[in-house]
Amino acid sequence: MMAVDDLVRRLKADLERYAALGDMMSGGAGDLAAADWIAERMAGMGYAVARQAFDIPCFEPAECTLTAGGFTATLHAQPPVTSTSPAGLAAPLAVVRSPHDAGDARGRIALIVLPHGRHASMQSPAIRPLVQAAAKAGAVALVIVPVGPTGRIMGLNCNLEEPAAPLPVGVLAPAELEPFLAAARSTSPATLVLHGRGAMRPTCNVHGVLDRGPRWVALSTPRTGWFGCVSERGTGTAAFLALAEWVTGRFPAHSVFFMNSGAHEYHFAGAHRAMRFAPPPGDTDVWVHLGASLATRGHVEFRGLQRMLRAADSNRILMTSDRFRDAASEAFAGLSGLECPAPVLGGVSELATILSRGYEGFAVLGMPRAFHTRDDTLDTVDAGLLAPVVRAHMALMEAVVTSPRQALSEANP
């Protein structure tokens, strides 16, 4: 394996490079710059690199606000965006905390206050039932309040083919909720403005191969996400690049397929498109998916005290195919949150999409404190915490990748 100090230095440099590229929403400047960087790095390692371009919706906001009782807050327009006129729409607010409250939203702007959590997707069971109930009851617009540990707006992944509600939908920072609760109690009028320019813009998948033998190893990671997403996407990107280089020397008889996908925040749209380039499942020993927030600094909150830790946030899981479970327990032993491998959960990462096609593999998925918020910045990560997770990926791959001689004997017992 790569020397510990060398690995830490390399991961640190790649985390810093990813963070310096800026916001990573699909099709934006940061996304396209990251695609160029990753393609160049992979080509430099000897991979044959290709791109698969496709268009994705975008929204350039002019004004996105909620105003009531003399107070105005900035909203995040929730994709797929249904915009309003520049004047917006006016209606009283109705607070919706459960589906039973939805009837109060008829003819009103539904203020959907979520239970405390680390929210990530419009498809989640904490969000979708409330959204659908309010829309069905006749709400004229929705304002989602993703109550969570930071008090900040959280970007919410969505399915473009099955939007949760065909209404104007904005996301409000929980820290700014109180004036709007007061306005809802007094039935004061509110004005919602989601005005801007909707368009389509290109993003891409970067994929390719190192063609060497009949057996394959596959590596993948998404590139895009909400805001800067240094922990969410940066840790996976840095780990992906380290493993892509390591695997070229560690398994010289194996071919390698890699996939770096765009449009993650649109229900893994890029990964769905790129799978047609992948090797056959029966020829692939393992698919290693570098998921979200592999290693993020923990955070302590106690009676007003807040402090970033040098230890890793344990709110992460290791998902594996059944066949790899014992080996995964050994490889990831001692890493907080990852000691007990879990079955692969549907709808939370690209891994379920990949394995549904017959592959076997594994992925780490974390949801740290700043997940999907603008607080997910470079100071939330530490290459020294990421390196042991990368080395655990290496150890598990060494345990499950089949040598050509072993594959031949298993095929002809």
Side-chain angles (χ1 to χ4, degrees), residues 54-252:
F54 57 98
D55 289 337
I56 207 74
C58 70
F59 181 74
E60 298 175 5
E63 181 183 354
C64 294
T65 56
L66 180 66
T67 300
F71 187 85
T72 298
T74 298
L75 301 180
H76 172 71
Q78 173 59 42
V81 178
T82 298
S83 59
T84 69
S85 70
L89 58 88
L93 294 166
V95 179
V96 176
R97 297 182 185 271
S98 77
H100 302 291
D101 300 330
D104 298 336
R106 181 175 182 82
R108 299 189 175 199
I109 300 168
L111 193 63
I112 298 177
V113 182
L114 301 181
H116 189 282
R118 301 181 183 192
H119 302 288
S121 172
M122 290 287 286
Q123 309 300 119
S124 81
I127 300 177
R128 190 173 179 85
L130 297 180
V131 166
Q132 291 183 327
K136 184 177 180 180
V140 297
L142 311 176
V143 175
I144 297 172
V145 187
V147 179
T150 67
R152 301 289 296 270
I153 285 172
M154 296 180 188
L156 301 172
N157 293 351
C158 65
N159 188 335
L160 295 175
E161 297 176 0
E162 298 180 16
L167 298 170
V169 181
V171 181
L172 172 70
E176 298 188 285
L177 172 61
E178 188 60 34
F180 299 106
L181 292 177
R185 285 193 295 269
S186 66
T187 67
S188 299
T191 301
L192 172 75
V193 179
L194 294 180
H195 174 55
R197 177 177 172 269
M200 301 292 288
R201 67 184 182 186
T203 184
C204 69
N205 296 320
V206 180
H207 63 91
V209 299
L210 195 61
D211 195 354
R212 303 190 292 191
R215 302 298 302 170
W216 289 79
V217 170
L219 302 170
S220 61
T221 196
R223 185 181 64 253
T224 65
W226 299 114
F227 317 120
C229 56
V230 179
S231 162
E232 183 191 3
R233 295 276 78 91
T235 56
T237 298
F240 169 81
L241 292 171
L243 288 176
E245 182 171 4
W246 171 79
V247 78
T248 62
R250 181 61 185 85
F251 304 112

